[in-house]
Amino acid sequence: MEHSGNGRKAAHDVHPEERRDGISKGLTNYGDRGFSLFLRKAFIKGAGYTDRALERPVIGITNTGSAFNPCHGNMPQLIEAVKRGILMAGGLPMDFPTISVHEAFSQPTSMYLRNLMSMDTEEMLRAQPMDAVVLIGGCDKTVPAQLMGAASVGLPAVQLVTGSMLTGSHRGEQVGACTDCRRYWGRFRAGEIDETEVADVNDQLVASVGTCSVAGTASTMACIAEALGMTVPGCATPPAVTADRIRVAERSGQVAVEMARAGLTLDKVLTARNFENAMRVLLAMGGSTNGIVHLAAIAGRMGYTLDLHALDAMSRSTPVLLDLKPSGDHYMEDFHAAGGMASLLHELRPLLHLDALTVTGRTLGEELDAAGPRFSQNVVRPLERPIYPQGGIAVLHGNLAPGGAIIKQSAADARLMEHEGRAVVFENIQDLADRIDDPDLDVEADDVLVLKNIGPKGAAMPEAGYLPIPRKLAAAGVKDMLRISDGRMSGTAFGTIVLHVTPEAAVGGPLAWVQSGDRIRISVAGRRIDWLVSDEELRRRQAASPVDVPQAPRGYQRLFLSSVTQADRGVDFDFLMAAESKGSIPRS
Ligand code: FES
């Protein structure tokens, strides 16, 4: 009798009904195990598979291609390469569809659908027979959704990202989504460019399929996934249309087979130390503020609670090293040419847990030792010459945000980071749209723009925290103002913008009772956000206008509104978080 190298019987020597892996895994329940397997094999043979092929480890591949998702436009090529890698390693590739979510094609918001995608991913990973899976995502919410779902299942899993888009050229200037989308739109609003030019640049901002080309949420999550140890080395940065991206896909397939054979489940990869490495990278890359929300959600699936105070302490000792827009000057393709994540991780070495395990079965330190030689480049700065002396994100607390709020200090105006001003309040997104450009709006450059009711329950947390500068001030040359909301903003945006105010207005957070004319003070150095209104006045306003928490009569919206958590818990559904607590992170 043949045996496998580990002393166990070879797969083909075990009666198919005795097996609990491969195609025999998770049989449909007909009350007759033998019949269930017989039926399954009959159906899959209808697709032309042989018994020999069906003896192999089954490796799932999530297909998130969609005509509505150009960020995943290279999905066919990636799936082909992943399959090649799986076959080379002796596995059987099986691709299957899940929901795909694109930022600009998701109404009301992509955040509304992230948890649905995570549930779809989780349940399909559980329901279908696979020994490991390659998760292919890219656009902002897809990678978090996949990592959340996979974390809950625990199956061996490799994250593969679609890769960044190429940059374009507009009248001699390099441009890319979406920092330049905002910059050009701001110039158009201010009357600096005309309709012809804004239409011209619209053709150039997204020069190929792939994800946004700056340190937006997609790039941030790609780098976080690699820092977590959830990707093969070098996965984060190759642009979508390059040979490097295809090679990474092939390698991801190989590694998934190796993980299945080794029984390398995600509880060994998604540890507190891996999450801490991911947080360091988020802070050091001047990454998207959304990265905090998504990391909190992924960590919550593993039983960890994000400690915002400890994260802020970590931020104080983690300088921004990556010179990428919007905090810096470069694009993802430049980062890749500069060595990609290996260059950044080498610089961060003293701050990382090098013993954290990765999907390859080797530690982060071992993978860094194996990475190619370092070379001179101008995208990743050395620790002693950072872009910004602290981490990109600071956490604020105070009577306006008892549960915390955040600001991307590396992309803010230093002049406004210690500031007190008069509040100009918008009750919701519609109110903002109706009045922000009103020539009679009572607003001045030193005022504080406040937008309420765009938190998780208020409006499914849209990226509307980047309030536009009122047109009359923009036309007068005002480029930045202090802006505060309970919503999010795109990682591609910049400005002095306080986000994720917790608790949100819609559930009765103090923000609900801020009125125009109140005074608000922030001190980023002191990590404070204070609303200069007495407790007595707050109680009077609360009694006069109690909050009506949003509800829905049916469907997914009902589930969302009844179960969604606040920003500090990742905006996940409460029933999807791990039942057992492993404590808070970061711990160091
Ligand atoms: Fe998909 Fe930016 S819109 S990554």
Side-chain angles (χ1 to χ4, degrees):
M1 179 180 286
E2 278 183 57
H3 284 74
S4 63
N6 59 16
R8 291 198 296 263
K9 284 181 182 177
H12 58 270
D13 291 329
V14 180
H15 191 281
E17 279 186 48
E18 293 175 29
R19 289 183 60 183
R20 293 291 187 271
D21 59 355
I23 209 74
S24 305
K25 194 176 174 191
L27 290 171
T28 312
N29 195 356
Y30 295 117
D32 179 344
R33 194 175 156 74
F35 177 69
S36 296
L37 182 58
F38 174 76
L39 197 67
R40 174 176 289 176
K41 289 180 71 173
F43 276 108
I44 200 71
K45 284 178 178 176
Y49 288 84
T50 61
D51 280 317
R52 182 102 188 268
L54 298 176
E55 287 170 358
R56 291 183 162 203
V58 176
I59 311 299
I61 307 168
T62 61
N63 181 348
T64 53
S66 162
F68 289 112
N69 196 344
C71 298
H72 293 198
N74 56 344
M75 192 63 55
Q77 293 83 1
L78 292 180
I79 290 175
E80 182 189 339
V82 172
K83 284 184 172 179
R84 186 166 66 243
I86 292 169
L87 289 168
M88 285 163 59
L92 177 64
M94 301 287 277
D95 58 308
F96 60 96
T98 73
I99 295 172
S100 191
V101 179
H102 183 278
E103 289 303 296
F105 290 91
S106 302
Q107 199 274 337
T109 72
S110 59
M111 195 59 158
Y112 180 65
L113 298 170
R114 184 203 61 180
N115 295 351
L116 185 64
M117 184 172 173
S118 86
M119 291 171 74
D120 181 2
T121 304
E122 175 179 343
E123 295 308 324
M124 288 299 100
L125 263 54
R126 283 191 203 285
Q128 301 171 138
M130 62 190 87
D131 301 298
V133 64
V134 178
L135 307 157
I136 312 183
C139 196
D140 294 12
K141 303 303 176 295
T142 59
V143 170
Q146 292 177 329
L147 289 174
M148 290 159 69
S152 292
V153 179
L155 195 69
V158 180
Q159 182 74 56
L160 170 64
V161 298
T162 55
S164 61
M165 61 184 68
L166 300 179
T167 56
S169 177
H170 172 67
R171 300 184 184 178
E173 186 195 1
Q174 186 183 25
V175 292
C178 236
T179 304
D180 296 322
C181 310
R182 297 173 199 289
R183 188 164 58 82
Y184 270 92
W185 189 249
R187 291 183 64 197
F188 177 62
R189 279 178 55 82
E192 293 174 14
I193 61 173
D194 60 17
E195 288 192 6
T196 304
E197 180 162 3
V198 85
D200 283 352
V201 78
N202 191 255
D203 281 345
Q204 296 302 319
L205 289 163
V206 179
S208 76
V209 297
T211 53
C212 288
S213 53
V214 299
T217 305
S219 304
T220 300
M221 291 310 303
C223 295
I224 280 179
E226 187 164 339
L228 264 177
M230 280 299 303
T231 75
V232 301
C235 175
T237 58
V241 297
T242 59
D244 279 348
R245 173 56 57 200
I246 298 297
R247 277 189 282 272
V248 165
E250 183 188 286
R251 178 84 182 112
S252 300
Q254 286 180 305
V255 164
V257 178
E258 291 161 10
M259 287 182 84
R261 291 215 168 99
L264 182 49
T265 46
L266 288 194
D267 55 317
K268 304 179 184 85
V269 179
L270 293 177
T271 71
R273 294 165 86 73
N274 293 72
F275 280 110
E276 285 166 9
N277 285 343
M279 288 177 208
R280 285 284 186 197
V281 165
L282 168 66
L283 295 165
M285 69 178 288
S288 165
T289 47
N290 293 315
I292 290 184
V293 177
H294 298 318
L295 263 179
I298 301 162
R301 296 297 184 96
M302 298 303 293
Y304 298 109
T305 304
L306 193 65
D307 179 341
L308 285 174
H309 288 283
L311 178 70
D312 188 68
M314 180 185 263
S315 179
R316 289 180 186 271
S317 64
T318 312
V320 177
L321 301 182
L322 191 55
D323 190 356
L324 276 195
K325 287 173 183 273
S327 297
D329 288 330
H330 294 97
Y331 296 89
M332 281 299 280
E333 61 200 46
D334 305 317
F335 182 24
H336 183 56
M341 281 293 286
S343 293
L344 180 62
L345 294 169
H346 270 306
E347 288 302 332
L348 288 174
R349 238 184 138 106
L351 301 174
L352 296 172
H353 300 298
L354 297 173
D355 58 348
L357 197 62
T358 78
V359 290
T360 63
R362 291 180 290 277
T363 65
L364 180 66
E366 287 170 336
E367 291 295 358
L368 276 179
D369 290 342
R374 300 165 74 178
F375 54 89
S376 172
Q377 44 77 33
N378 63 351
V379 180
V380 179
R381 297 273 192 91
L383 271 176
E384 56 278 10
R385 198 168 52 82
I387 301 281
Y388 192 81
Q390 298 185 357
I393 296 167
V395 182
L396 311 178
H397 282 87
N399 66 346
L400 193 54
I406 60 168
I407 183 168
K408 191 172 187 175
Q409 54 179 342
S410 59
D413 184 339
R415 187 181 54 85
L416 292 171
M417 290 207 284
E418 307 294 317
H419 184 73
E420 182 187 319
R422 182 186 65 144
V424 175
V425 175
F426 301 92
E427 293 297 324
N428 50 48
I429 292 179
Q430 190 57 51
D431 186 31
L432 175 77
D434 290 345
R435 294 194 296 124
I436 190 73
D437 290 336
D438 184 343
D440 295 329
L441 180 68
D442 179 13
V443 64
E444 294 173 9
D446 284 342
D447 289 341
V448 181
L449 302 180
V450 176
L451 177 56
K452 304 178 185 176
N453 292 305
I454 61 165
K457 293 204 184 196
M461 223 177 176
E463 291 184 340
Y466 178 76
L467 281 74
I469 303 296
R471 193 183 291 271
K472 67 179 182 183
L473 295 182
V478 176
K479 299 282 187 222
D480 196 6
M481 295 175 71
L482 178 57
R483 290 160 269 181
I484 298 172
S485 76
D486 45 10
R488 300 178 300 118
M489 78 170 179
S490 165
T492 64
F494 50 90
T496 314
I497 299 173
V498 177
L499 302 156
H500 310 181
V501 168
T502 303
E504 64 176 308
V507 299
L511 189 68
W513 289 283
V514 177
Q515 296 176 355
S516 288
D518 292 346
R519 295 197 72 77
I520 293 173
R521 181 193 299 147
I522 73 160
S523 167
V524 177
R527 301 299 200 253
R528 298 289 308 172
I529 180 161
D530 294 303
W531 175 34
L532 307 184
V533 160
S534 67
D535 291 348
E536 189 183 9
E537 174 63 11
L538 171 59
R539 282 192 291 275
R540 191 191 67 73
R541 292 184 191 181
Q542 286 173 324
S545 53
V547 157
D548 209 2
V549 179
Q551 294 176 345
R554 64 169 296 282
Y556 178 69
Q557 189 183 22
R558 180 179 174 129
L559 181 70
F560 187 95
L561 288 175
S562 63
S563 308
V564 74
T565 60
Q566 294 290 287
D568 58 339
R569 292 293 169 268
V571 195
D572 199 3
F573 293 157
D574 49 13
F575 62 86
L576 291 175
M577 297 165 72
E580 190 184 334
S581 171
K582 294 180 184 167
S584 64
I585 52 171
R587 294 169 179 167
S588 59

